[in-house]
Amino acid sequence: MALILHLERLLARTCPPDVVFSAADSETRIGPLYEGEETAVVRAVPRRRWEYQAGRHCARQVLVTLGQRPVAIPVGERREPRFPPGIVGSITHSSRPLPAAVAIAADSARYVAIGVDLERRGGAARLDPDLITTEAERAARPPTIPADLFLDLVFSAKEAAYKALSPFVGRILDFGEVKVELPPSGFTYRAFASVSSPELGAVTGRWATDDDFVLCVATIPRHDAAIEVRRPG
C-alpha cells in the first residue's frame, strides 16, 4: 500500500486536474483479464503477465472514475492499449525497484491524446546518451537538473510523448524525432515531433521525481475544452 500512495503522490503532481489516475503494486488485488485481453500474454513470463494484468486493472479503475463501464482494453497494432470511444488513456509499468503499474485517462472531448511513463531513477544510465538526447538538448540542460537525472527525465518525457503521438504518426518514433524542452525552473516540459500532424502542435507535459522513480505525463489538449476538476475517490 505504501508504494501505491507513493505513486499517487507523484501522479497528483503531474496529472492535470481533469486527468484521472490509478496505481497498483504487488499487494494490489488485481481483477482477472477480460475477454479478448488474454491473447496478448498467452506465452508471457509471469513478470510480464503481471504488468499487463495490473495495467488493465488500473485502466478499468480510471474508466469507473470517469463514469464509464469497466470494459476490456485490447492491444492495438503498435501494442498500445485501446480505450473505449470517448476516452483517451495510457498505461505504464515498472519492475524496479518494485513491481508497479499506472494508468491515466481523460474525456476525449478535452484531450486529443495523453501519455504516461514511469521509469526507475538511474535506469537511463545504462544507455548511450547519444541515442536518447541530441547535442542541442544536452546543451540546453537547465543547471538545476543534474546530468544523471536529466537523462532519465528526457528518456521518460519522450516515452510519454511517443504514447500521445503514436495514434497520429502511425508508427513507433525514434528518440531523435522528438525534441524535449525543459524550462530553467518548474516541473513542466514541451515536446515537439517533426513528423506529427500540424494541427497537434506541441505536446505539453509535467514531470515528478523522487529517490526511486521518474514519472512523466504528456498531454495534447483540445483548445476549445473547458476544464472541470475530477479526481479519483
Side-chain angles (χ1 to χ4, degrees):
M1 184 63 68
L3 178 56
I4 291 180
L5 295 176
H6 181 69
L7 292 172
E8 287 180 344
R9 283 194 292 268
L10 292 177
L11 285 159
R13 290 161 54 190
T14 51
C15 288
D18 52 353
V19 173
V20 300
F21 54 79
S22 177
D25 64 10
S26 59
E27 297 182 5
T28 303
R29 291 188 61 183
I30 296 171
L33 292 174
Y34 281 28
E35 183 177 356
E37 295 177 337
E38 179 76 33
T39 54
V41 287
V42 66
R43 294 186 177 86
V45 299
R47 178 185 61 82
R48 171 56 187 149
R49 183 180 179 85
W50 182 90
E51 292 172 347
Y52 179 85
Q53 192 166 343
R56 264 58 193 176
H57 170 85
C58 291
R60 281 186 268 280
Q61 295 294 107
V62 293
L63 287 178
V64 170
T65 301
L66 290 171
Q68 303 287 316
R69 292 174 50 246
V71 297
I73 310 293
V75 173
E77 295 179 0
R78 291 171 296 281
R79 306 294 296 172
E80 78 280 6
R82 297 181 60 186
F83 282 76
I87 301 295
V88 291
S90 183
I91 297 173
T92 187
H93 46 72
S94 177
S95 59
R96 299 178 182 177
L98 294 169
V102 165
I104 65 172
D107 192 324
S108 63
R110 301 173 183 276
Y111 291 91
V112 177
I114 58 179
V116 63
D117 184 70
L118 178 69
E119 302 290 340
R120 66 183 178 91
R121 282 288 300 266
R126 70 187 189 281
L127 305 175
D128 184 347
D130 290 332
L131 297 179
I132 302 171
T133 59
T134 65
E135 184 176 346
E137 285 172 328
R138 292 192 294 273
R141 174 177 65 87
T144 54
I145 300 178
D148 56 343
L149 173 58
F150 178 75
L151 200 60
D152 288 334
L153 180 53
V154 173
F155 181 91
S156 184
K158 290 187 177 185
E159 286 286 344
Y162 296 158
K163 292 178 181 181
L165 290 166
S166 177
F168 308 97
V169 177
R171 62 178 175 82
I172 297 175
L173 294 169
D174 292 330
F175 277 98
E177 292 180 295
V178 174
K179 176 186 176 184
V180 169
E181 292 183 354
L182 294 165
S185 62
F187 298 90
T188 62
Y189 69 90
R190 285 161 60 87
F192 303 86
S194 58
V195 293
S196 65
S197 302
E199 64 271 17
L200 293 179
V203 178
T204 58
R206 291 187 62 84
W207 60 274
T209 186
D210 58 20
D211 291 339
D212 298 318
F213 295 107
V214 171
L215 178 76
C216 287
V217 171
T219 59
I220 306 176
R222 294 193 187 277
H223 299 299
D224 57 348
I227 298 297
E228 174 184 320
V229 176
R230 301 188 75 169
R231 282 293 189 202

